Amino acid sequence: MTIPQISVFLENKAGQLADITGILSENQVNMRAINIAETTDYGVLRLIVDDAAKASSILLEQGFILTMTPVVGVAVPDTPGGLSKVLGVISGAEIDVEYMYSVFGQKDGLACMIFRVADSDALTVVLEQNGISTIAGEDLGLH
């Protein structure tokens, strides 16, 4: 089960992040997770929002360059070693994690991590076989 992620390509200049969060706020789009990666020349802003179709449409209208990417939300015990256990299962299945980041907040003692891998279906199967829950978009309040 995957969750839609928006990746926005940003120029490496002041105000870009404020512009995007302002546009989303003005249009009543709620962010559930945010991550930014940068290089010398540009940045990639990764977002999980409550309405990915609406957000991407609005950002495209404003001239931003973006892509939509499927990612997997994983329930991680919010205890010492919780993430290590999940990563051990993924590593044991020889699945390469391209990147990961956390979602805002937690529920029922579980944190949520977002994973980007080449084969989301294989990741989901391996996690479920090892008693690790994936998180549906509805669990994060996504439309």
Side-chain angles (χ1 to χ4, degrees), residues 5-18:
Q5 170 191 268
I6 301 170
S7 296
V8 185
F9 299 91
L10 304 175
E11 293 179 57
N12 205 358
K13 68 178 187 178
Q16 289 272 288
L17 190 54

Side-chain angles (χ1 to χ4, degrees), residues 31-91:
M31 293 185 295
R32 300 296 186 210
I34 186 170
N35 175 276
I36 191 161
E38 65 173 296
T39 68
T40 305
D41 299 322
Y42 65 94
V44 178
L45 174 67
R46 296 181 176 113
L47 299 167
I48 306 290
V49 298
D50 64 345
D51 191 335
K54 179 180 177 182
S56 61
S57 176
I58 291 164
L59 292 172
L60 285 169
E61 287 172 10
Q62 295 293 318
F64 289 97
I65 299 168
L66 60 88
T67 60
M68 297 284 282
T69 308
V71 293
V72 178
V74 180
V76 178
D78 192 11
T79 59
L83 179 58
S84 180
K85 176 186 175 195
V86 172
L87 290 172
V89 167
I90 294 170
S91 174

Side-chain angles (χ1 to χ4, degrees), residues 70-137:
V71 293
V72 178
V74 180
V76 178
D78 192 11
T79 59
L83 179 58
S84 180
K85 176 186 175 195
V86 172
L87 290 172
V89 167
I90 294 170
S91 174
E94 298 185 5
I95 295 174
D96 183 38
V97 176
E98 294 176 20
Y99 57 81
M100 66 178 218
Y101 56 95
S102 63
V103 172
F104 300 145
Q106 61 167 286
K107 182 179 177 184
D108 301 326
L110 297 172
C112 177
M113 296 296 294
I114 299 297
F115 286 86
R116 172 67 178 153
V117 298
D119 188 342
S120 299
D121 293 334
L123 176 60
T124 300
V125 168
V126 165
L127 293 172
E128 289 175 357
Q129 287 174 342
N130 285 274
I132 300 170
S133 300
T134 57
I135 296 175

